[in-house]
Amino acid sequence: MTINSKGAHAPFFAPELLNLSVPRTRFETLLTRALSSLTKGNWADALLAVETVCRSMPSEHLASSLRAKIIERALPSLTSKAWFKAWLVAPENTALQDSMLRAWLQSGAVDPLHSLGLAALSQRCEAHTESSLVQILVQAKLLQFAACWKEQTAVVGVVFNFAESASEKALANLCVSNETEDFFYQVPANGTRFQFTPPNQHDLWSISFCCNEPDLVSTTNPSQRKWLLASGSPLAFACETINVNTRFAHAQAQKLSLHKKSARQSSQGNAQANKHTPSTVSIIIPVYRDLASVKACITSVLESQTLNQTKAKIIIIDDNSPEPAVSTWLQTLSSETNITVLKNRQNLGFIGSTNRGLRHHAEADALMLNADTVVHGNWLDRLVAALYSDDNIASVVPWSNNAEITSLPKIAVASLPPTTQELAQIDTLAAQLHQQGDIADVELPSCIGFAMLMRRKVIDEIGVLDAVHLVRGYGEEVDWCLRARAAGYKHMAATGVFLSHTGTISFRFEKTLRVKQNKRVLQQRYPHYELEYALFRRDDPLSKARSVLLNALTKKQNTWLKNAQLRLEPDDALMQNNGANAVPLFSMALPAPLPSSCVRIAIWNLSIANPYAKKILELARLVASQKDLSVRLLVIGEANEALWHTGVVDVLPRLNSIDAPLISDMEFLGLSNCVACWVLANGKHSPAKIYMDNFMSNLKLPATIVNDQLDIVAWFETFREAHLTP
């Protein structure tokens, strides 16, 4: 009997026993195993354990951080990618930001480091956590940078100047710009915080700076100076005629059932159509970078003008592009009929640029169009018809390859953009099916801003986009749509129109940060929307229209659809998704194994529903019954509790994302020291024999088909003699 030091009989409380008695989740146990294996140098064991958690709990940043730490030692060539994957899970986590940026610094990825480091700088400075980030930026040879943010009615900021010529008393010149004027200030350039009140509280202010320059107030032509944008710019203090209904969350709670509403038939919409459709639409195209995409977009809009009865006034806003070729080409368009090119004095961001366009033709309906889209045919007429099919429609949005809930071929999943010929076929079929009544427009919780046609009377009623509380871009169209819904309007998917959309041209790495920031504002303002959006994605009221259009495209043998479907749902027998294209699954040799505590038997693409799954359990129990035998099973796919409880199984759930995995399933076969592989007959996609005859042989990995004829005990004895005999 156990006795403690004071003579009491067990059970007694011992703090050191607390961790042993507290139940832990399977994932906590796996993370503990990963840490222990890493300490022992068994990198394969550590990587498998943490990868299971990362795939099962993709929002757990501690697991992805531990994975990156393991990869730093085990697979150093993947270090930058591993830290990037970890940062994506928690982009505002300062420790993750620094770890990722240091990995980029070590790998020489200076340009993305500068871009993302500056994007995070203003938040870090405002929170007084910038010192480590500043150090990283200086190590990356970025010697002059600045940040700004708002505190009540004042602009607060800081300028860093680490140039050799800089002194403790160095000054920087600020250029504070709205759409029409520049104002100049001088502030310290030694990392000391400054503060000033902007010229007025109603404009959107861009904050730029330059160091080691003479007093610009007396300079005759300050526009010739090289101004650098301060992180956190632009800043706005007062909303410009924005009506935010704070009662939205309560008043609109009943609209959670929106996704259950049936699609409105085109014939019904036409019966209610407003006969007084507008004669003019203002097409607003903010432009920042990527000349090729900008040219393709604007050219497609211009070429479509003769095919549309709706008169279009095109407004292009050059947001002070960092690429001179973009600005130069845009200026050549100024002489074009119905084109107005506005150039921001300094960068105002997507929201500020769009609002400038929204105000330019105050009498016309407005179409927000991203500069990385391509249009086709009489697209504008069809969007206008959808907008005016009912008096209380505030906005409409078309299909696209990259359009969140109106994406094709799969909801909320981006695909590569179609070619010009493929686009023409997709859009033409969508128009025909809609005209015939085979597909109908469907009500949405909100539209997507890449190509969103907005009714002018709604803009006049609820205001323009919110540039005060939302940062630069992302989520601004959701906020506008939800304000419109609170005012009694609705939003529709125009299923008779398809546009091409590349996506993420201007923001690049900054996008992840901006989405996180702006999503927080939307969650506070509209707490029920996230659930509503999730329910719409789950139930997909657009599925009927999507299915009809996809079937028509399949009959036409549309090549874009074939490639997109192959990428989204590759045949497991033949292909492996690599994030951009489907490639032969076993076309490469397996990587060398990492240090491991055991050898492994791989179970490829296990489904619990497979009739032969019980044989995998038999094998696991046989392995578990062996004493002093360093063998484990690596299951790629599903595992039930009985399989887990054998204690000799590592499980890698199949990846649901179409993004490129950090380490593919096939690579794990080699890294984890698999010396044999089982493939179950009657697999989901193709007979197991296809694996055996055409692909497994290339891996030089002994493979076995699991079927009725397989004698597990005999197989294991042969395996043991071949791989485990000293």
Side-chain angles (χ1 to χ4, degrees), residues 156 159 231 293 330 345 416 540 604 607 675 691:
V156 182
V159 176
S231 171
S293 293
L330 291 179
R345 303 176 72 84
L416 296 176
D540 191 8
W604 186 257
S607 169
V675 294
Y691 290 96

Short mmCIF file of all heavy atoms in Angstrom, two decimals, residues 156 159 231 293 330 345 416 540 604 607 675 691:
data_model
loop_
_atom_site.label_atom_id
_atom_site.label_comp_id
_atom_site.label_asym_id
_atom_site.label_seq_id
_atom_site.Cartn_x
_atom_site.Cartn_y
_atom_site.Cartn_z
N VAL A 156 -2.00 59.29 -35.94
CA VAL A 156 -0.80 58.97 -35.17
C VAL A 156 0.09 58.11 -36.04
O VAL A 156 -0.40 57.27 -36.82
CB VAL A 156 -1.15 58.23 -33.87
CG1 VAL A 156 0.10 57.95 -33.05
CG2 VAL A 156 -2.16 59.02 -33.05
N VAL A 159 7.86 57.18 -38.20
CA VAL A 159 8.72 57.00 -39.37
C VAL A 159 10.05 56.42 -38.89
O VAL A 159 10.64 56.91 -37.92
CB VAL A 159 8.96 58.33 -40.11
CG1 VAL A 159 9.95 58.13 -41.26
CG2 VAL A 159 7.65 58.90 -40.63
N SER A 231 2.40 52.39 -43.95
CA SER A 231 1.55 51.26 -43.58
C SER A 231 0.36 51.77 -42.77
O SER A 231 0.50 52.60 -41.88
CB SER A 231 2.36 50.26 -42.73
OG SER A 231 1.53 49.27 -42.19
N SER A 293 -3.38 41.90 -66.97
CA SER A 293 -4.75 41.67 -66.53
C SER A 293 -5.61 42.91 -66.77
O SER A 293 -6.77 42.80 -67.18
CB SER A 293 -4.78 41.29 -65.05
OG SER A 293 -4.18 40.03 -64.84
N LEU A 330 -3.02 53.56 -69.16
CA LEU A 330 -4.34 54.09 -68.82
C LEU A 330 -4.54 55.49 -69.39
O LEU A 330 -5.65 55.85 -69.83
CB LEU A 330 -4.53 54.12 -67.30
CG LEU A 330 -4.66 52.76 -66.61
CD1 LEU A 330 -4.81 52.94 -65.11
CD2 LEU A 330 -5.83 51.96 -67.17
N ARG A 345 -4.01 61.02 -56.31
CA ARG A 345 -2.73 61.70 -56.05
C ARG A 345 -1.78 60.77 -55.29
O ARG A 345 -0.59 60.72 -55.56
CB ARG A 345 -2.98 62.98 -55.25
CG ARG A 345 -3.96 63.94 -55.93
CD ARG A 345 -4.25 65.14 -55.06
NE ARG A 345 -3.10 66.04 -54.99
CZ ARG A 345 -2.83 66.97 -55.89
NH1 ARG A 345 -3.62 67.14 -56.95
NH2 ARG A 345 -1.78 67.75 -55.76
N LEU A 416 -9.13 27.90 -61.87
CA LEU A 416 -8.35 28.71 -62.79
C LEU A 416 -9.28 29.36 -63.83
O LEU A 416 -10.29 28.76 -64.21
CB LEU A 416 -7.31 27.84 -63.50
CG LEU A 416 -6.23 27.24 -62.60
CD1 LEU A 416 -5.33 26.32 -63.40
CD2 LEU A 416 -5.42 28.32 -61.91
N ASP A 540 -26.65 25.24 -50.48
CA ASP A 540 -26.40 25.63 -51.87
C ASP A 540 -27.67 25.75 -52.70
O ASP A 540 -27.96 24.91 -53.57
CB ASP A 540 -25.45 24.63 -52.52
CG ASP A 540 -24.94 25.13 -53.88
OD1 ASP A 540 -25.21 26.30 -54.22
OD2 ASP A 540 -24.28 24.35 -54.58
N TRP A 604 -3.50 2.45 -48.22
CA TRP A 604 -3.77 3.55 -49.13
C TRP A 604 -5.27 3.80 -49.30
O TRP A 604 -6.03 2.91 -49.64
CB TRP A 604 -3.13 3.28 -50.49
CG TRP A 604 -3.26 4.44 -51.42
CD1 TRP A 604 -4.12 4.60 -52.45
CD2 TRP A 604 -2.49 5.65 -51.35
NE1 TRP A 604 -3.96 5.81 -53.04
CE2 TRP A 604 -2.96 6.48 -52.39
CE3 TRP A 604 -1.47 6.11 -50.53
CZ2 TRP A 604 -2.43 7.75 -52.63
CZ3 TRP A 604 -0.93 7.37 -50.76
CH2 TRP A 604 -1.40 8.16 -51.80
N SER A 607 -11.32 3.59 -46.76
CA SER A 607 -12.68 4.02 -46.45
C SER A 607 -13.29 2.99 -45.52
O SER A 607 -13.25 1.79 -45.79
CB SER A 607 -13.52 4.14 -47.73
OG SER A 607 -14.89 4.32 -47.41
N VAL A 675 7.43 0.38 -45.84
CA VAL A 675 8.15 -0.64 -46.60
C VAL A 675 7.19 -1.55 -47.34
O VAL A 675 7.61 -2.46 -48.06
CB VAL A 675 9.07 -1.47 -45.68
CG1 VAL A 675 10.19 -0.60 -45.12
CG2 VAL A 675 8.27 -2.12 -44.55
N TYR A 691 -3.91 0.53 -59.62
CA TYR A 691 -2.78 0.98 -58.82
C TYR A 691 -1.59 0.05 -59.02
O TYR A 691 -0.46 0.48 -59.24
CB TYR A 691 -3.14 0.97 -57.33
CG TYR A 691 -4.13 2.01 -56.88
CD1 TYR A 691 -5.48 1.71 -56.76
CD2 TYR A 691 -3.70 3.28 -56.51
CE1 TYR A 691 -6.38 2.65 -56.30
CE2 TYR A 691 -4.60 4.23 -56.05
CZ TYR A 691 -5.94 3.91 -55.94
OH TYR A 691 -6.82 4.83 -55.49
#
